[in-house]
Amino acid sequence: MRTTFSGKRIKGILGLLPHNEVFFEDETENYSFPAVQTMKLKKIMGYEKHRLVNDKAAVSDLCVFGLEYLFDKGILHKEEIDALILVTQSPDYFIPPTSNVIQGRAGLRKDIICMDINQGCAGFLVGLMQAFMLLDLDNIKQVALLNADILSRKVSNRDRNSFPLVGDAASVTIIERHEESQKIFFDINMDGSACGALIIPAGGFRQPSNVHTSELSDTGDGNYRSLEHLTMDGAAVFSFVQSEVPKLIEGILQYSNIGKDDIDYYLFHQPNKFMLEKLADKLKIPYDKMPMNVVSNYGNSSGVTIPINIVHNLSSLLVDEQLKCCLAGFGSGLTWSSMVMTLGKFDFCEMAVTPY
Amino acid sequence: MDKIIEILKEIRPEFNFSESSNFIDDGMLDSFDIIALVSQIDEAYGISIDGMDIVPENFESIESIENMIRKNGGAI
């Protein structure tokens, strides 16, 4: 589904990280594979270190910290937030919505729209889409888009397929009406028939938790996880990304009538370095236009990797300049989405480390 | 062929690839081994194997690996 948006801009982005940083080498003993074999993955996949929240942290903690950080700096004023969107796959509770929890803890107005969206690797773009739509309503002038995931708590630390690359993070993105902004081009696709490629099988209502669903077992390939842990069919996900994402990018560029070389940066979701290099090679995009360093620095925090990518790589540029960017998110659902838009000049673009 | 066998031995030194008719069915290469193999083939042959060709059936034997390399512009 392709569509356009007008008269909107991103005012600024704040990236939020857990303070706990763990190195890949320190976790190799958790896996049942020889350490020498495991270490070979370091260079290929871009494993270096990742940020993991503590045992007590929840998504609302990171988000409230971020909002209060911006309030304290005078960058954001709580009375000006007309809507709050939270994109997460790791809510504080099944009930109530975590966006409501955040609204209450942050002391926001009671006459605002709060909304949780359960989306993963494409979630930041889905959140932007929702923010843009809300800004077309009367009396909505500013939207706070929160994107946060702490999936390290749902990935087995004995699963070498997934644990080295998982990371926790959050972001606060402020979006507002801005008549002079250039048109935004958007594309989104869904394939629920392949939803099993990225799934946490138990703990929801399809298969509620019991004593058996939390038991670790050998999955047959030397990795250990339970039914309440994230299961990723690596081959299926890789095949999906290589098959669909090049077409997605070619399509959005054609739709926006913008040449590949006219894009300043390709800001993609960050699954791992190997997959991104293959995409760049296929699309003939030079590596310096497609940052691939989020996993090695922070881990894969699902949809949040896009705002973290922006803040980590482009913060100093985006406060001073405008950049034509192509964003893309692809993953659980399966969902894949792209957006061509001008980013900058931002009022703020920075990273903060939380106490969680 | 020698170059490919050398790379395979470096990735999984405990296996004798000459004795297998199907590296995947015999459990000699898992998905991460395939990624490591692709990465080393790319470097050794100066190519970039298309992501769409990174499927298990292309890594079943020396012959299938060589065919994949040729298809992606590598000289065997």
Side-chain angles (χ1 to χ4, degrees), chain A residues 17-46:
Chain A
L17 300 171
H19 77 91
N20 185 33
E21 186 178 69
V22 185
F23 288 83
F24 179 64
E25 286 91 332
D26 297 335
E27 292 171 332
T28 55
E29 287 184 6
N30 293 342
Y31 311 124
S32 63
F33 305 90
V36 168
Q37 192 190 5
T38 296
M39 285 303 292
K40 284 183 182 164
L41 295 175
K42 184 175 169 174
K43 183 180 166 221
I44 299 166
M45 301 294 280

Side-chain angles (χ1 to χ4, degrees), chain A residues 86-245:
Chain A
L86 170 65
V87 180
T88 189
Q89 300 172 113
S90 40
D92 286 16
Y93 312 102
F94 283 130
I95 296 174
T98 308
S99 53
N100 282 67
V101 171
I102 293 166
Q103 181 268 342
R105 287 181 59 184
L108 304 184
R109 290 177 6 229
K110 291 183 182 169
D111 66 335
I112 68 170
I113 295 172
C114 291
M115 180 183 289
D116 282 24
I117 297 177
N118 183 342
Q119 271 287 341
C121 309
F124 183 68
L125 298 192
V126 175
L128 284 178
M129 173 198 76
Q130 183 64 76
F132 296 152
M133 293 197 294
L134 285 172
L135 285 165
D136 281 336
L137 302 179
D138 288 344
N139 300 319
I140 302 210
K141 298 187 181 60
Q142 190 173 86
V143 177
L145 168 61
L146 311 177
N147 192 183
D149 264 314
I150 53 170
L151 287 171
S152 67
R153 304 262 287 278
K154 295 302 270 183
V155 175
S156 167
N157 68 356
R158 296 185 63 193
D159 183 353
R160 198 193 62 175
N161 282 4
S162 299
F163 197 75
L165 59 86
V166 75
D168 301 328
S171 64
V172 179
T173 303
I174 303 300
I175 303 119
E176 60 183 12
R177 292 184 192 173
H178 192 255
E179 290 307 314
E180 298 79 36
S181 288
Q182 294 179 26
K183 197 177 273 192
I184 298 164
F185 302 88
F186 178 67
D187 186 9
I188 188 162
N189 306 268
M190 307 270 182
D191 183 6
S193 70
C195 66
L198 274 163
I199 191 167
I200 296 175
F205 285 94
R206 173 61 63 193
Q207 187 172 8
S209 297
N210 58 45
V211 292
H212 303 297
T213 58
S214 60
E215 287 170 354
L216 289 179
S217 62
D218 186 343
T219 56
D221 58 359
N223 293 300
Y224 287 78
R225 56 179 172 264
S226 75
L227 291 172
E228 295 182 21
H229 286 128
L230 178 71
T231 297
M232 179 175 64
D233 181 343
V237 172
F238 185 84
S239 180
F240 148 68
V241 170
Q242 297 299 320
S243 166
E244 299 300 334
V245 175

Side-chain angles (χ1 to χ4, degrees), chain A residues 294-340:
Chain A
V294 173
V295 166
S296 61
N297 280 285
Y298 309 116
N300 174 351
S301 52
S302 193
V304 200
T305 62
I306 295 179
I308 295 293
N309 184 357
I310 293 171
V311 173
H312 179 77
N313 289 298
L314 301 175
S315 57
S316 55
L317 283 180
L318 285 170
V319 293
D320 292 327
E321 297 176 37
Q322 288 192 320
L323 299 171
K324 183 69 75 181
C325 295
C326 176
L327 284 59
F330 34 89
S332 63
L334 300 172
T335 309
W336 58 112
S337 180
S338 61
M339 189 174 282
V340 168

Side-chain angles (χ1 to χ4, degrees), chain A residues 40 44 161 278 281-282, chain B residues 10 32 35 42 48-50:
Chain A
K40 284 183 182 164
I44 299 166
N161 282 4
K278 285 298 171 192
D281 291 344
K282 178 87 174 192
Chain B
E10 197 184 316
F32 281 106
I35 287 173
D42 281 354
S48 177
I49 292 173
D50 189 309

